[in-house]
Amino acid sequence: MKKTYFGSKDSNGGPKPFWKPWGAAGWFGRLLAFLILLFALIFLLNALKKCDNRKTANKDDRDVPENIINPEGPDPVRVPIDDDVNFPLDIQDPGPNLPQPGDNFLPEINDEDIITDDETGQQIVGNRLNVILDSDANDDTFRQWADEFKTLYPSDDYKILAYDPLTKTLQIQVPQTERENILRNLPKQITDISFLIFPESIMGSFAQKPNDPAFQYPDYSWYFEPIQAYEAWEITTGDSSIVVAVVDSYFDLQHDELNSRRVVKPFSVPRRTGNVAPPSGGCDEVPFRHGSLVACTAIGNMNNRRGTTGIAPGCKFMPVSTGHQMTSMTLLQGLLYSIYQGADVVNISAGDAYPPGSPIMTLSPEEQLQLSEQWRKEEEAVWDYALDLANARNITIVWAAGNQAMFTALDPSKRGDRSIKVSAVDTNLRKADFSNYGNYPNQGVVESTISAPGVNIFGACPYNDYVPLDWGAGTSFAAPIVTGAVALMKSIDPTLTTSEIIQILQETGKPVQGAPDIGKLIQIKDALMRVKGNFADFGDIMSDHSKFVGLWMSTTLQDITNNGVPTGEKCRNYYEVTSTQGGRSIVYAADTKKDYTAPFTIQWRQNEIVITEQTPLTHPTDQGHSFMNGVMTCAPDSANLLKAIMRYPGQSYHEEYYLRKVSQRQEQEQ
């Protein structure tokens, strides 16, 4: 067999050694040059891939200061995030008309199924509708609804695509030509089950082209001073009992600004797991940046020698991912998850986004106002229902108003006074040119609750990076500033209702010059001082006992237990002081919606007030329930506020809360 040589031959006809004709030194030189080129190529590819190539990220060539990105000192210890989902996501026996476990996911939306509604100009999914059941719906309710739906529409063109017992929702597929008829007629056809039905709208996140800041550099921290953040932090940086939910696209929970033991119950709506990162990374992915920056602005870590901080860095953080494509269903499910899982404040920096050239963009402000009072009532009813659920649980919802310089309440999720809608101001504290508005003072219309900075907001970018200054612009980033402020207010007084919070924010805010159509600029310290002003000064009461006469409310809800086991329901304590010698205790139980009462006596000691309940607390028509009587000691805290400790004879546990004087009970206000 003839040998084949992969190379030239020497003068004798044999193969040349591999180093000829250059010699051994020449070969090693070629090898060394090749290795240098290889390493240079790898370095170049890695530099192009990483987010920390500042010259690429910052269009104006302004690098983020080095000590923000690479601070001195040891790296922080990474905290493992508990992303296990420990609650049932499927019905064990769903029956023939509900998806089986393993198939029960919201399917992806095909581009060809997205249409533009002729009446509203909103982009919707033409062959889908969404259903929300009552908050007390159980597995049987889902099965019954599914059976009745398929009895009415047995064709394979009609089916239930997905359901979620956690948020009490379903999504159905219908022929596009029948969508309007189903939307209108189904509530008249299924009458024995309470539900709402609404379209599947395509939503947008409210981010303009983003930005950058940190406290040694005015450009990177400009907005903290005009909203009184520094003074507010002297009062509180947030209490760990307050949970802030952020419903957004994706989150980087390994980022220095977000990784902490404060993360609770992360959840991905499309995946139905605790993984809130995108399926495939990429530092240029706008949704990944958006969610991470929104969360950082609201609750980012403080005093970790990294980047910047959020407004409420002491509060807990519940990240809820809607996935890459936000729709009315994923947004609603994210909100309902936050409500049912115990959030105190929920930030949603998303909503309607109209495509360029939409006819609605040409309407005058007056025409937009008039239209908002007439259209998309089905969707308005759904959002009203969700807001009612939130208010019943004393949860405050904060919305970004939007970025299309339009009337905010054209979006049916942003109507009425049961939630907070946030407009944006620029670095001059003037109305940002992109910000939606909502106020017509002469007509009594207030749909822009409050304003906050929404330009040049610096914060977290995925992969432990930070966004450039031209990125963080939009009401998306004004809203989490207000969300953080609300969390600080609730850290002082968790009993604050949304209506009380709105009143305080509006009364303490600073008017935005030349912009009566948006809410006042938030002043956080003044708002916190107003909250503290609702509490009695212990010294005043001790010097004049008559100031203790009146109605007092506990600042926390208490768990109702049955033989020591929590039932999941809450109760609120009131103390009706009728004289300096006594009065009556009132426990309002949420499960029975009844008052349980008992008389008490008052003892005045040198530096404390002792209230002794004389009997168990009972209701005259509810013989099966009662509450233990206890002894409550009221004493001053470090700020001289009235703090109560309730102890029960023979029991090892006790309850602590502040007492706030109120003119009437919250149940009477609803």
Side-chain angles (χ1 to χ4, degrees):
M1 179 179 291
K2 183 179 179 181
K3 293 181 179 179
T4 303
Y5 298 100
F6 293 94
S8 57
K9 298 181 181 181
D10 66 11
S11 58
N12 298 321
K16 289 183 180 179
F18 62 87
W19 59 81
K20 290 185 179 181
W22 304 279
W27 177 80
F28 283 114
R30 292 179 70 217
L31 178 62
L32 182 61
F34 171 77
L35 291 174
I36 291 172
L37 288 173
L38 178 62
F39 283 117
L41 179 61
I42 293 172
F43 177 82
L44 179 61
L45 290 173
N46 188 56
L48 290 173
K49 180 180 179 182
K50 287 175 65 65
C51 259
D52 55 7
N53 186 337
R54 302 297 160 184
K55 297 293 184 180
T56 302
N58 293 273
K59 293 188 175 181
D60 60 0
D61 242 19
R62 291 176 298 159
D63 287 0
V64 176
E66 183 65 21
N67 66 338
I68 295 179
I69 310 160
N70 299 308
E72 296 180 0
D75 290 338
V77 177
R78 286 275 176 264
V79 174
I81 303 299
D82 181 6
D83 58 4
D84 286 339
V85 176
N86 297 315
F87 35 76
L89 296 170
D90 299 290
I91 296 173
Q92 282 295 93
D93 181 17
N97 297 318
L98 289 170
Q100 297 298 309
D103 298 325
N104 186 25
F105 294 90
L106 290 173
E108 292 186 6
I109 297 169
N110 298 320
D111 291 343
E112 59 268 23
D113 293 328
I114 299 176
I115 63 174
T116 300
D117 187 272
D118 293 335
E119 180 183 358
T120 67
Q122 174 73 9
Q123 286 189 307
I124 60 175
V125 183
N127 61 351
R128 295 191 195 182
L129 289 169
N130 300 317
V131 172
I132 178 170
L133 302 175
D134 260 352
S135 59
D136 58 356
N138 55 27
D139 292 358
D140 290 337
T141 313
F142 276 91
R143 283 189 287 262
Q144 182 183 346
W145 195 95
D147 292 345
E148 293 191 31
F149 174 70
K150 286 305 294 179
T151 299
L152 290 165
Y153 302 98
S155 168
D156 291 341
D157 293 334
Y158 302 82
K159 64 180 178 181
I160 296 174
L161 297 172
Y163 68 93
D164 185 6
L166 190 66
T167 58
K168 319 295 185 184
T169 55
L170 307 98
Q171 186 168 91
I172 60 176
Q173 175 181 297
V174 299
Q176 183 172 312
T177 55
E178 292 298 313
R179 186 185 64 84
E180 282 292 337
N181 290 332
I182 301 297
L183 182 65
R184 185 167 49 252
N185 294 328
L186 197 58
K188 303 174 186 176
Q189 296 170 321
I190 300 178
T191 58
D192 56 339
I193 302 175
S194 178
F195 70 96
L196 296 169
I197 186 168
F198 60 104
E200 174 72 327
S201 302
I202 302 298
M203 314 296 271
S205 58
F206 294 146
Q208 292 289 98
K209 248 183 142 313
N211 276 280
D212 251 83
F215 298 109
Q216 298 177 29
Y217 303 91
D219 286 349
Y220 292 80
S221 56
W222 74 271
Y223 66 90
F224 291 96
E225 184 173 348
I227 62 173
Q228 302 180 332
Y230 300 120
E231 298 96 323
W233 290 332
E234 292 179 3
I235 300 172
T236 180
T237 56
D239 191 277
S240 61
S241 65
I242 300 300
V243 178
V244 177
V246 178
V247 180
D248 215 292
S249 45
Y250 296 111
F251 306 91
D252 181 2
L253 298 186
Q254 295 305 311
H255 197 288
D256 287 341
E257 301 293 354
L258 301 179
N259 181 260
S260 78
R261 300 191 188 280
R262 296 182 296 117
V263 176
V264 294
K265 299 181 180 179
F267 187 68
S268 167
V269 170
R271 286 197 186 103
R272 309 178 81 216
T273 70
N275 182 1
V276 295
S280 58
C283 55
D284 291 328
E285 289 188 17
V286 172
F288 200 7
R289 283 189 175 192
H290 189 273
S292 299
L293 180 55
V294 168
C296 172
T297 305
I299 51 81
N301 291 330
M302 176 184 269
N303 293 329
N304 64 346
R305 305 186 310 278
R306 299 294 189 274
T308 184
T309 185
I311 298 297
C315 296
K316 286 191 170 66
F317 168 38
M318 182 188 294
V320 183
S321 169
T322 61
H324 188 86
Q325 189 173 51
M326 291 186 189
T327 69
S328 51
M329 181 57 124
T330 59
L331 211 57
L332 177 67
Q333 286 191 339
L335 173 57
L336 292 173
Y337 174 87
S338 306
I339 291 172
Y340 290 133
Q341 294 304 309
D344 296 285
V345 193
V346 183
N347 186 96
I348 306 180
S349 290
D352 279 354
Y354 293 93
S358 175
I360 201 169
M361 306 287 288
T362 65
L363 297 178
S364 68
E366 291 73 19
E367 290 172 322
Q368 292 181 20
L369 170 60
Q370 184 177 10
L371 185 60
S372 71
E373 296 172 346
Q374 300 171 354
W375 75 340
R376 301 177 69 181
K377 289 297 183 180
E378 300 95 343
E379 293 166 89
E380 181 181 339
V382 170
W383 292 111
D384 282 350
Y385 174 82
L387 292 176
D388 284 342
L389 287 178
N391 284 332
R393 291 160 173 78
N394 205 27
I395 301 167
T396 300
I397 313 301
V398 180
W399 297 92
N403 291 348
Q404 295 184 291
M406 296 171 59
F407 182 55
T408 297
L410 282 170
D411 186 336
S413 65
K414 300 175 180 61
R415 295 176 184 168
D417 58 2
R418 286 171 293 180
S419 63
I420 297 173
K421 286 88 67 176
V422 184
S423 297
V425 300
D426 59 21
T427 54
N428 296 315
L429 304 182
R430 300 292 186 93
K431 176 184 173 184
D433 56 6
F434 55 78
S435 179
N436 284 5
Y437 52 86
N439 298 345
Y440 293 84
N442 295 335
Q443 300 179 49
V445 175
V446 181
E447 295 289 3
S448 171
T449 313
I450 198 75
S451 296
V455 173
N456 287 12
I457 306 301
F458 175 75
C461 177
Y463 309 110
N464 224 26
D465 199 357
Y466 291 88
V467 296
L469 275 180
D470 64 348
W471 209 92
T475 57
S476 272
F477 312 115
I481 290 174
V482 175
T483 294
V486 172
L488 296 184
M489 295 169 71
K490 289 199 168 191
S491 294
I492 297 175
D493 183 359
T495 69
L496 285 171
T497 64
T498 296
S499 61
E500 289 175 321
I501 290 168
I502 289 173
Q503 181 179 358
I504 292 171
L505 291 178
Q506 292 178 336
E507 289 179 353
T508 58
K510 182 184 294 185
V512 178
Q513 187 176 352
D517 57 351
I518 64 173
K520 295 178 180 179
L521 177 64
I522 190 169
Q523 302 292 287
I524 305 177
K525 182 263 295 181
D526 290 346
L528 296 184
M529 291 301 293
R530 180 68 63 85
V531 174
K532 289 187 68 175
N534 290 332
F535 294 88
D537 183 276
F538 187 80
D540 288 346
I541 292 174
M542 294 303 289
S543 62
D544 183 357
H545 293 182
S546 66
K547 291 183 178 180
F548 197 45
V549 174
L551 182 64
W552 297 84
M553 180 177 72
S554 66
T555 56
T556 58
L557 298 174
Q558 306 300 320
D559 290 319
I560 296 177
T561 60
N562 184 8
N563 294 323
V565 179
T567 65
E569 296 292 342
K570 300 283 187 178
C571 63
R572 186 182 300 285
N573 298 344
Y574 292 92
Y575 301 93
E576 192 174 64
V577 181
T578 55
S579 74
T580 58
Q581 301 304 309
R584 68 169 184 156
S585 296
I586 305 169
V587 169
Y588 175 78
D591 55 348
T592 63
K593 295 182 171 56
K594 290 181 170 65
D595 287 344
Y596 300 79
T597 65
F600 63 71
T601 59
I602 300 175
Q603 290 178 283
W604 298 88
R605 297 180 179 172
Q606 183 174 358
N607 202 36
E608 62 184 21
I609 307 167
V610 179
I611 292 178
T612 304
E613 294 171 335
Q614 300 298 297
T615 64
L617 286 75
T618 60
H619 185 277
T621 64
D622 185 4
Q623 303 301 319
H625 297 86
S626 65
F627 291 86
M628 285 189 299
N629 54 312
V631 178
M632 183 172 70
T633 303
C634 300
D637 74 348
S638 58
N640 217 35
L641 302 179
L642 196 65
K643 187 173 185 179
I645 300 178
M646 175 65 83
R647 295 181 173 88
Y648 300 94
Q651 303 295 321
S652 59
Y653 69 90
H654 67 276
E655 299 164 350
E656 294 187 20
Y657 40 77
Y658 286 94
L659 292 182
R660 175 159 67 99
K661 203 167 191 178
V662 293
S663 58
Q664 62 180 348
R665 291 170 45 185
Q666 286 194 357
E667 295 78 32
Q668 296 168 345
E669 297 169 0
Q670 295 172 356

